Amino acid sequence: MKNSLLHSLTFFLSLILLFVSISVVPVCGGQESTEVKEPDNLYALSACLMDADSGRVLFEKNGEEKRANASTTKTMTLIVTLENADLDDIVTVSEYAARQPDVQLNINTGEQYLLRDLCYSLMLESHNDSAVAIAEHVGGSVEDFAKLMNQKAQEIGCTNTHFVTPNGLDASDEGGDHGTTAEDLAKILSYCVKKSPKSAEFLEITRTPSYSFGNKNVAEDGTISNGNRSFSCNNHNAFLNMMEGALSGKTGFTGNAGYCYVGALESEGRTFVVALLGCGWPNNKTYKWSDTKKLMQYGIENYQPVVLEEQKKNEELPKTVLVTDAKTADYSRIQTVPVEVIEDTSVSGFETLLLRKDEKVELECNWEHTLEAPLDLGTVVGGVTYRVNGEVVKKEKIVCGEYVEKCDFSWGIERILERFFL
């Protein structure tokens, strides 16, 4: 009987231990794992996911490798046009513009069009002849318009981009081959949708589902009337209907570039931009949509805004510094001077960044605790550096809040005489 009871007890104890060993999951450090799986198996040869507000790269695959980028070039063509010309201008078509290869609007030499109408043709149907007509009107020639494009690329911060044509057709000149990188292309669209003074106009054109127009007749007295031709354009950016919050974008294809795409999406106050180069060749036309959705979803699920200013709340920042050799009322020559923290404009910092849950902001604070007079108001006495993954994302300066005069020989004599006679 005792043996039977002992065997039963042993059996139940074994079951309990087995249950505990299965149920208890060890947690390293007592915290939930923050490991994030990055997108893989992308079709694109080069890809970039960017925070459009800060310009920070959230993910890249060969993001700095220069490639042909086909008609995604037309994002730059449009923004340069919007910033340098009046859309109510009349454009006269040259012979060179009229004989551009497909895809064409099929405009004829000598015909006249509103610049606005040609911009819709440029972005919705990606017409190459419209691109050249626009470039010649705005820049005077294709070559001079390309100079405007390259100048704007430099202003935006593109470091490995060179434009030769306004339509993205393969070409070379003394500056090199026409092309860009996935990171630079993402910078360009980020500028177009968020930072350009013509962002609203850019979005209006690139988001329009369809658009109709015709050529114009301009009389000698300047009177404008409708011509005898009519056109209808449909937006070929299918991504606009694929994900909620899709903002804008542009497709592209040449035999050299492959399928390319750059697109923007807004979600809960965040704006993501995806750029893809070499994303398949015929018959792989849909690869770009698969990659775009994968990268956008990765951004939406993993990146949240972090206010950088809030990261200072646990830091001991100086409120004052000591200044020696100063003119002081008590003759001590040591003065306590207030300091303040201000933005360092030498670094393009941002108040808010999108960070992944496994990323954190690291702060480095340095300042001189004791300085020597004289000190001007606003003299830099230290600084605060914000880093994410070792990259500097913001800087601030610690500056002197008062003017401090240096005590000199004559001031010393005056103080001695005051003390002697008083």
Side-chain angles (χ1 to χ4, degrees):
M1 180 71 177
K2 288 182 179 180
N3 287 339
S4 176
L5 185 61
L6 182 61
H7 283 304
S8 298
L9 184 60
T10 302
F11 175 74
F12 282 114
L13 285 174
S14 299
L15 283 178
I16 292 171
L17 289 173
L18 179 63
F19 176 77
V20 170
S21 66
I22 293 174
S23 302
V24 175
V25 180
V27 179
C28 181
Q31 293 183 349
E32 186 179 331
S33 173
T34 59
E35 184 178 354
V36 176
K37 181 176 174 58
E38 291 192 332
D40 56 5
N41 298 322
L42 294 174
Y43 295 110
L45 298 179
S46 295
C48 177
L49 171 67
M50 180 171 287
D51 170 12
D53 291 292
S54 69
R56 181 169 177 252
V57 174
L58 308 181
F59 172 84
E60 60 88 20
K61 172 188 174 183
N62 301 323
E64 296 182 343
E65 187 171 333
K66 184 179 176 183
R67 298 182 183 277
N69 64 305
S71 286
T72 59
T73 296
K74 290 164 183 165
T75 56
M76 179 63 88
T77 302
L78 178 60
I79 205 65
V80 168
T81 298
L82 293 175
E83 292 183 357
N84 289 276
D86 186 340
L87 294 188
D88 290 326
D89 283 357
I90 292 293
V91 177
T92 301
V93 179
S94 72
E95 180 184 356
Y96 178 65
R99 55 183 171 87
Q100 290 297 300
D102 285 340
V103 177
Q104 299 178 43
L105 179 61
N106 289 314
I107 50 182
N108 297 317
T109 304
E111 288 182 336
Q112 294 179 304
Y113 293 87
L114 277 178
L115 180 58
R116 172 181 287 99
D117 295 340
L118 293 181
C119 286
Y120 280 94
S121 164
L122 173 81
M123 298 305 290
L124 273 57
E125 293 281 358
S126 201
H127 290 139
N128 293 324
D129 47 0
S130 295
V132 171
I134 289 170
E136 291 178 333
H137 175 79
V138 177
S141 67
V142 167
E143 292 75 19
D144 286 339
F145 186 81
K147 290 178 183 177
L148 294 176
M149 297 171 73
N150 288 317
Q151 179 181 332
K152 178 55 67 174
Q154 290 182 352
E155 292 174 7
I156 292 171
C158 299
T159 57
N160 196 11
T161 294
H162 182 64
F163 292 118
V164 180
T165 67
N167 46 28
L169 294 176
D170 297 329
S172 301
D173 62 12
E174 65 277 2
D177 296 333
H178 183 103
T180 187
T181 68
E183 288 188 16
D184 280 1
L185 185 56
K187 286 180 184 178
I188 292 168
L189 189 62
S190 296
Y191 173 81
C192 292
V193 301
K194 298 293 291 187
K195 304 176 181 71
S196 169
K198 296 294 184 178
S199 292
E201 291 87 343
F202 182 92
L203 287 170
E204 180 181 355
I205 291 172
T206 58
R207 291 169 58 83
T208 298
S210 61
Y211 187 82
S212 297
F213 65 96
N215 66 316
K216 302 295 180 184
N217 292 323
V218 182
E220 291 185 2
D221 62 358
T223 303
I224 301 174
S225 59
N226 291 328
N228 59 354
R229 302 188 70 191
S230 61
F231 304 91
S232 182
C233 297
N234 296 305
N235 199 325
H236 289 269
N237 180 13
F239 179 68
L240 291 175
N241 298 312
M242 287 184 180
M243 292 186 73
E244 183 178 354
L247 276 180
S248 179
K250 185 70 188 74
T251 58
F253 175 80
T254 65
N256 184 31
Y259 290 111
C260 303
Y261 183 67
V262 59
L265 177 144
E266 192 171 59
S267 173
E268 298 178 351
R270 303 162 295 173
T271 305
F272 300 100
V273 168
V274 165
L276 307 170
L277 299 176
C279 195
W281 274 258
N283 298 305
N284 301 315
K285 194 172 184 178
T286 62
Y287 283 3
K288 61 183 178 291
W289 306 131
S290 174
D291 279 6
T292 298
K293 289 189 288 185
K294 181 182 288 189
L295 290 172
M296 290 295 190
Q297 199 61 44
Y298 167 73
I300 291 169
E301 292 175 356
N302 293 288
Y303 284 88
Q304 295 297 328
V306 172
V307 180
L308 294 181
E309 188 69 20
E310 293 180 357
Q311 309 306 305
K312 289 193 302 188
K313 58 187 176 185
N314 295 323
E315 294 291 327
E316 292 186 9
L317 295 177
K319 294 182 174 58
T320 61
V321 292
L322 292 179
V323 181
T324 61
D325 287 341
K327 291 183 178 181
T328 57
D330 60 0
Y331 314 117
S332 66
R333 298 190 302 166
I334 298 177
Q335 185 172 340
T336 300
V337 178
V339 296
E340 59 180 330
V341 179
I342 64 172
E343 181 182 1
D344 186 344
T345 55
S346 66
V347 176
S348 299
F350 293 86
E351 296 304 314
T352 303
L353 279 184
L354 297 185
L355 296 186
R356 212 167 59 179
K357 61 184 179 181
D358 60 343
E359 295 178 322
K360 66 177 183 178
V361 180
E362 296 178 347
L363 265 66
E364 180 184 346
C365 307
N366 296 298
W367 68 92
E368 296 289 338
H369 294 72
T370 304
L371 298 107
E372 184 176 330
L375 285 180
D376 288 329
L377 175 68
T379 298
V380 178
V381 299
V384 182
T385 302
Y386 300 73
R387 289 186 175 87
V388 177
N389 300 331
E391 176 189 358
V392 176
V393 295
K394 183 179 180 180
K395 278 191 173 185
E396 294 175 327
K397 296 185 288 189
I398 302 171
V399 299
C400 179
E402 290 182 1
Y403 169 68
V404 183
E405 290 187 86
K406 181 180 178 66
C407 65
D408 52 20
F409 181 76
S410 61
W411 179 85
I413 295 297
E414 289 176 6
R415 301 292 80 76
I416 292 173
L417 293 175
E418 283 179 5
R419 299 185 71 174
F420 179 77
F421 288 109
L422 295 177

